[in-house]
Amino acid sequence: MCNFPFICGNLLTFANKISVRMKIRIVPVVIAVASLLLASCLKSSDEETTTYNDTAIASFSLGTLNRYVTTKAKDGVTDSTYKTTVTGSTYKFYIDQQANRIYNVDSLPKGTDVAHVLCNVSSKNSGVVTIKSLTSDTLRYYSSSDSIDFTTQREFRVYANSGNAYRAYTVSVNVHKEEADSFRWTRVTSGYVPSYVPVDGSSVNRYKLEDGQLKMSTDNGATWTVETLDSDAALLPGYNVNFACKSVSTNAGTEYLLLVGTGDADKKNALCWFKYEEHGTGAHENGWSLISHDSDDRFALPKLSHLCMVHYGEYMLAVGGKGMDDCTTSAYDGIYASFDNGVNWRRNGLISLPSGFDKSATDVRMVVDDDHYLWLICSGTGQVWRGRLNKYGWAENQYFVYE
């Protein structure tokens, strides 16, 4: 038997107490809870109605958001802005049930419009979710179809369906204040400068070019075996040789090796080879493959003197002096970046040489340190530069679930 008068009396008494203490209008919330109870009472006098004093926000996610991106127009001077969208559901929100806080650890990209946001909120034990006004203590019902302004922290409240308790949460929607792929150089005139140590293999094996052959050592250089190639060994580089190694995120225990250098076999472009090196049980022994380009391919890496190549985050970067043989590229005309593991290269597509860089350098070595800074150490001029893509300075993305 449902004792509705008794429950409504308790609910209204609870509302009066809260109204006096907090000076806010929550009566509609209490009436909503009471209406739910009344409906259940009228359904059948033989049914028992279960109410709960405890509740919590159990999940929180965002819908699709607009993002406004500012870039340079074709003239390279004026700014141009375009609109795109961000899938908000891919940015996970952490619910701290101890501190009653809700926030995204992985911030939304710069330019995301968080003044007009649709969000999805669920509660424990069918609690009633409300949101506090930005200008007063007034509460309104949360609705997944209502746009919410998250340019500042917002207070959400969830009321137990018994009407006897509520929990208040502070919700923060974090947005980056800088572009992820923006890069800034700083000239270093004193202090620490890392040493250039050339890469010579993977995390397990070492490699070297010797007597026109590519060789591998599995015992740190004690013994060497000749590697398998899919093309003529005459196409191996003979000088300005660089190795780079990166883990393959889609295949555990697999590393991608890139070999880049210059040689007599190509008068215009650098010579590039790659190999997938597998480790662990069931690993396959793979050979090296040539990355071939036509002589007039504008996305081939030019044949540059003093060529230097490194792995930087998701990218391969290369820089070099004056072009060799049939290559007419000027000395240190830019930094070449490859987004596809050394297949195609674009000059200044990701990172440009710093303003003030002295191109009379006789040699430039690139170094990547443990903090994801890229260093340019220049011989002949003594210049040292340090820079980093903004996203490599951010904390690693973290994903949490409600428990």
Side-chain angles (χ1 to χ4, degrees), residues 144-171:
S144 60
S145 61
D146 288 345
S147 176
I148 301 174
D149 183 357
F150 280 107
T151 55
T152 187
Q153 292 181 336
R154 301 303 301 268
E155 180 179 315
F156 278 63
R157 291 189 185 183
V158 55
Y159 286 85
N161 65 11
S162 68
N164 291 329
Y166 74 86
R167 293 183 69 173
Y169 292 83
T170 300
V171 181

Side-chain angles (χ1 to χ4, degrees), residues 266-296:
D266 195 319
K267 299 296 183 181
K268 190 173 182 179
N269 299 321
L271 297 166
C272 304
W273 294 73
F274 75 91
K275 173 186 177 178
Y276 285 97
E277 185 177 283
E278 301 180 27
H279 312 296
T281 305
H284 293 86
E285 182 61 38
N286 301 309
W288 288 82
S289 298
L290 175 69
I291 300 174
S292 59
H293 288 278
D294 295 333
S295 61
D296 59 349

Side-chain angles (χ1 to χ4, degrees), residues 137-322:
D137 289 334
T138 303
L139 298 174
R140 64 179 175 87
Y141 298 121
Y142 151 78
S143 171
S144 60
S145 61
D146 288 345
S147 176
I148 301 174
D149 183 357
F150 280 107
T151 55
T152 187
Q153 292 181 336
R154 301 303 301 268
E155 180 179 315
F156 278 63
R157 291 189 185 183
V158 55
Y159 286 85
N161 65 11
S162 68
N164 291 329
Y166 74 86
R167 293 183 69 173
Y169 292 83
T170 300
V171 181
S172 303
V173 176
N174 299 316
V175 182
H176 281 300
K177 297 181 179 180
E178 54 187 13
E179 293 289 352
D181 287 327
S182 177
F183 191 98
R184 292 191 297 271
W185 288 107
T186 301
R187 186 170 177 182
V188 179
T189 57
S190 62
Y192 169 78
V193 177
S195 300
Y196 172 72
V197 179
V199 176
D200 65 353
S202 67
S203 63
V204 177
N205 302 316
R206 294 176 60 188
Y207 294 87
K208 69 176 180 179
L209 286 163
E210 185 179 63
D211 301 327
Q213 296 177 317
L214 180 54
K215 299 180 180 181
M216 179 183 71
S217 174
T218 60
D219 52 13
N220 199 31
T223 59
W224 296 86
T225 57
V226 177
E227 285 282 85
T228 301
L229 308 176
D230 75 343
S231 299
D232 193 335
L235 296 173
L236 287 170
Y239 33 94
N240 298 317
V241 174
N242 299 261
F243 282 95
C245 177
K246 62 179 288 188
S247 297
V248 179
S249 59
T250 55
N251 296 84
T254 302
E255 293 177 298
Y256 179 86
L257 293 167
L258 179 65
L259 166 63
V260 169
T262 55
D264 297 331
D266 195 319
K267 299 296 183 181
K268 190 173 182 179
N269 299 321
L271 297 166
C272 304
W273 294 73
F274 75 91
K275 173 186 177 178
Y276 285 97
E277 185 177 283
E278 301 180 27
H279 312 296
T281 305
H284 293 86
E285 182 61 38
N286 301 309
W288 288 82
S289 298
L290 175 69
I291 300 174
S292 59
H293 288 278
D294 295 333
S295 61
D296 59 349
D297 190 337
R298 64 191 183 97
F299 295 119
L301 182 63
K303 186 177 185 179
L304 303 174
S305 61
H306 304 288
L307 181 65
C308 180
M309 185 269 298
V310 295
H311 164 229
Y312 183 63
E314 305 107 287
Y315 318 104
M316 299 294 179
L317 303 179
V319 68
K322 184 179 179 180

Side-chain angles (χ1 to χ4, degrees), residues 32-104:
V33 177
S35 299
L36 291 173
L37 294 173
L38 176 60
S40 62
C41 289
L42 294 177
K43 190 183 299 181
S44 172
S45 60
D46 295 329
E47 293 182 3
E48 290 291 334
T49 300
T50 302
T51 61
Y52 299 91
N53 290 324
D54 66 318
T55 191
I57 289 181
S59 67
F60 186 98
S61 63
L62 302 179
T64 301
L65 304 99
N66 290 324
R67 182 190 179 202
Y68 297 89
V69 180
T70 300
T71 185
K72 291 295 181 184
K74 291 183 178 180
D75 60 13
V77 178
T78 58
D79 289 336
S80 175
T81 301
Y82 65 92
K83 185 176 78 170
T84 184
T85 57
V86 175
T87 305
S89 59
T90 62
Y91 292 81
K92 306 303 180 183
F93 277 74
Y94 173 48
I95 303 178
D96 186 341
Q97 300 291 2
Q98 300 297 319
N100 288 346
R101 294 179 58 224
I102 302 174
Y103 58 94
N104 53 316

